[in-house]
Amino acid sequence: MENKLALLYIGAGASLWGIIGIFVTYFYELGFSPTQVVAIRALSASLFLVFYVMIKNRQLFRIKFSDSKYFIGTGIFSIVLFNWCLFSAIEETSISIASILLYTAPAFVTIFSRLIFKESLTTPKVMALMTTFVGCSFVIGVLPNTHESISLYGFILGLGSGLFYALYSIFGKFSLRKYHSLTVTVYTFLFAAIAITPFSGLWNVLPLFSDIKVWFYVIGLGFLSTMLPFLLYTKGLNTIESSRASIIATIEPVVASLIGFMVFQEKLNLWQYIGIILVIAAVIITSKKSTKKTLISNELSL
């Protein structure tokens, strides 16, 4: 029964990550830019996480000033850039395509781990890389010459989200050696908020915050699609092995695609759906060889 409950936690967390496109799209309709939406996510998530840690264990706030470099990496070079690329890709392409291009992250992690940590390129890893490449080619329309390819800019944004998402695993690998995962997450979003807010121009859209719908979307983005799924996913990891958890988490792009189809009437062709299946399959192949620490750092960024 406990394992079934853990599976439910993991599935619920991944599903909540998958609905983020709803809030992002509605923010755009109200007049917010991608940079402003990134700032709203970072600020709101920071506030919710700080409040949670104050209740749970204030000792988790303690870090060494010299270790700020880790959170510059996770917060600025990963979270800020990853979110900006993802939200811009949603605006440029669609929720479905942006979410599946984000899932190229495990392929980037494999490449970075080989270059930085000298991890071996096993047969499953090579298979996963090739599967990801073919799957993405189908998703963006390059193969099999469907004449429905997305723009080059949209493709670069999508790959950029996967690239910077992957960097969280690399930077997070160092910080998790010294700090609790919740500490890493809190300071990641705090550093992200401090970095992006001065450049967001949020003060130019202050009148928009008089609309009650904006505050609903702020809570949805910061709590429902950021903090809550993190808590659910982490709780599930306490009971079941991380490889099973990561496989269940691939429900995220499926949920995102369903949201795009049912809520925003986004349409994909058969080859793009095949591409989505291939990318998810590559994630499953990669996850079977992943360690628990890597997977925790991978998933906490969403």
Side-chain angles (χ1 to χ4, degrees), residues 22-289:
I22 294 177
F23 307 112
V24 173
T25 301
Y26 284 147
F27 270 122
Y28 290 158
E29 290 180 356
L30 290 171
F32 291 88
S33 69
T35 304
Q36 289 165 346
V37 179
V38 174
I40 290 171
R41 188 186 193 190
L43 285 167
S44 58
S46 297
L47 290 173
F48 287 125
L49 285 165
V50 166
F51 181 72
Y52 178 74
V53 173
M54 287 181 68
I55 296 174
K56 183 179 177 63
N57 183 1
R58 296 188 179 188
Q59 298 299 316
L60 294 176
F61 284 122
R62 293 186 175 181
I63 64 170
K64 291 182 179 179
F65 181 78
S66 59
D67 290 334
S68 296
K69 58 181 178 291
Y70 299 133
F71 307 115
I72 291 174
T74 57
I76 300 175
F77 291 103
S78 179
I79 291 297
V80 169
L81 295 176
F82 141 62
N83 277 275
W84 183 83
C85 285
L86 175 63
F87 295 167
S88 298
I90 289 175
E91 184 180 44
E92 179 71 16
T93 59
S94 69
I95 295 173
S96 305
I97 291 176
S99 65
I100 203 61
L101 289 177
L102 168 64
Y103 260 65
T104 59
F108 284 115
V109 171
T110 299
I111 295 171
F112 287 143
S113 297
R114 171 59 180 171
L115 296 175
I116 298 173
F117 302 113
K118 308 302 179 184
E119 294 181 6
S120 59
L121 272 178
T122 62
T123 300
K125 288 180 180 179
V126 173
M127 287 177 57
L129 287 171
M130 293 177 63
T131 304
T132 299
F133 176 76
V134 175
C136 285
S137 297
F138 284 153
V139 168
I140 67 175
V142 172
L143 294 176
N145 192 23
T146 62
H147 302 291
E148 297 180 19
S149 60
I150 66 172
S151 68
L152 177 61
Y153 181 56
F155 176 57
I156 292 174
L157 287 171
L159 280 189
S161 68
L163 170 65
F164 294 119
Y165 181 22
L167 284 180
Y168 189 92
S169 292
I170 305 304
F171 291 120
K173 208 165 191 179
F174 293 105
S175 56
L176 285 169
R177 291 172 183 171
K178 303 183 67 173
Y179 298 107
H180 189 278
S181 60
L182 190 52
T183 300
V184 174
T185 306
V186 169
Y187 279 101
T188 291
F189 277 98
L190 283 172
F191 272 69
I194 292 170
I196 190 64
T197 302
F199 303 97
S200 65
L202 274 177
W203 48 90
N204 295 323
V205 291
L206 284 179
L208 294 177
F209 286 91
S210 61
D211 189 339
I212 190 65
K213 289 189 296 185
V214 170
W215 291 104
F216 172 77
Y217 300 145
V218 168
I219 294 172
L221 187 62
F223 178 76
L224 198 61
S225 286
T226 303
M227 178 183 166
L228 185 56
F230 154 68
L231 295 176
L232 290 170
Y233 189 89
T234 304
K235 189 173 180 64
L237 276 178
N238 290 331
T239 306
I240 65 173
E241 61 272 21
S242 56
S243 59
R244 290 183 68 193
S246 66
I247 292 172
I248 296 167
T250 57
I251 193 176
E252 179 190 343
V254 176
V255 171
S257 296
L258 289 173
I259 291 295
F261 175 74
M262 293 188 297
V263 180
F264 300 107
Q265 288 76 52
E266 295 177 357
K267 294 182 180 179
L268 301 178
N269 60 46
L270 175 62
W271 290 107
Q272 288 175 314
Y273 282 115
I274 292 175
I276 288 175
I277 294 171
L278 288 174
V279 173
I280 293 174
V283 174
I284 294 173
I285 293 170
T286 303
S287 69
K288 288 181 179 179
K289 297 296 181 180

